[in-house]
Amino acid sequence: MRGGGLRAYALLYLLFLYAPILLLPIFAFNSGTIIAFPLQDFSTQWFGQMWGNATLRRALVNSLTIALSSAVLATCLGIFAARASTRYRFPGKGAALGLIMLPLILPEIIVGISLLVVLLAVGVQLSILTVIIGHTLICMPYAVAIMTTAFSSLDKSLEEAAYDLGETKWSAFRLVILPLVMPGIISAMLMSFTVSLDEFIIAFFLAGNEPTLPTYIFSQLRFPKSIPMIMALGTVLVAMSILLLAIAEYFRRRGAARTGQTSSGGFL
């Protein structure tokens, strides 16, 4: 009885959580301009209107540029931080890792306002570059968490064997360690890309006059006739996010299998 009640609660919770997302494709393929039931005819006109919007294409290019740049920077910095935290002991190690992971618990609006004040104080003009800086800060904790798991699962004897065979620290890292943690690197990059692509608050404060996909969607909510097109755009974004997270989970489990670990939990 107790187990049945818990399952019913879990199903109701999932339904409440994902029902709005399930409604996106329903109204995206509806020909009506009013988001309400009953539905009208099946249509793909909103997807055509979406791809024909020049401002939307500009926002898409900006978001992809920001997400790719932030993912690469966050992953590279995450590799350095994770390698240092798992391989070496040094004073202030815990405090340094705590500062790196701090953006996970800080409200993003506080981070956005703080970055805005600092950047304006030093005379930096708001642009795509400033958004990349902010998104790298937000994405780095995710990359560090994933890369720390990847480096922690490595067998240190493999690195020591490389040293015994005459490899330098750099060549051992490049030829032995890096290939072993490559699934974690790909997983961290995909996760950072997804987080950056969907992020709104930092982009709202730091983008200036350059639109991103989240800020463009927010600006169009004032116009009722644009809502069906936003539904179509939301459908595409949800599909992309699910695909990227699925790929990230695949590489995470692949990396766990290569190191002999039992895959449990994960992103999905």
Side-chain angles (χ1 to χ4, degrees), residues 72-149:
V72 172
L73 289 174
T75 303
C76 290
L77 294 174
I79 291 175
F80 300 146
R83 174 63 173 171
S85 65
T86 56
R87 185 66 175 82
Y88 303 103
R89 295 181 179 180
F90 51 89
K93 174 181 174 180
L97 289 177
L99 288 175
I100 292 174
M101 306 303 290
L102 192 60
L104 281 178
I105 59 174
L106 283 177
E108 286 194 15
I109 190 170
I110 301 300
V111 177
I113 293 175
S114 302
L115 287 173
L116 177 63
V117 171
V118 171
L119 291 173
L120 292 180
V122 298
V124 178
Q125 186 177 2
L126 300 182
S127 63
I128 291 179
L129 179 60
T130 55
V131 182
I132 292 174
I133 295 173
H135 281 193
T136 301
L137 178 65
I138 295 297
C139 294
M140 190 173 171
Y142 296 93
V144 170
I146 296 172
M147 294 308 306
T148 298
T149 303

Side-chain angles (χ1 to χ4, degrees), residues 17-63:
L17 187 64
Y18 292 108
I21 298 178
L22 296 177
L23 291 176
L24 281 176
I26 294 177
F27 290 112
F29 290 101
N30 180 37
S31 62
T33 57
I34 299 177
I35 308 302
F37 291 99
L39 301 176
Q40 298 185 16
D41 298 329
F42 177 85
S43 175
T44 59
Q45 61 176 323
W46 308 120
F47 291 90
Q49 181 178 338
M50 177 186 66
W51 296 121
N53 191 311
T55 306
L56 175 57
R57 291 199 302 270
R58 180 185 174 190
L60 175 62
V61 172
N62 288 342
S63 286

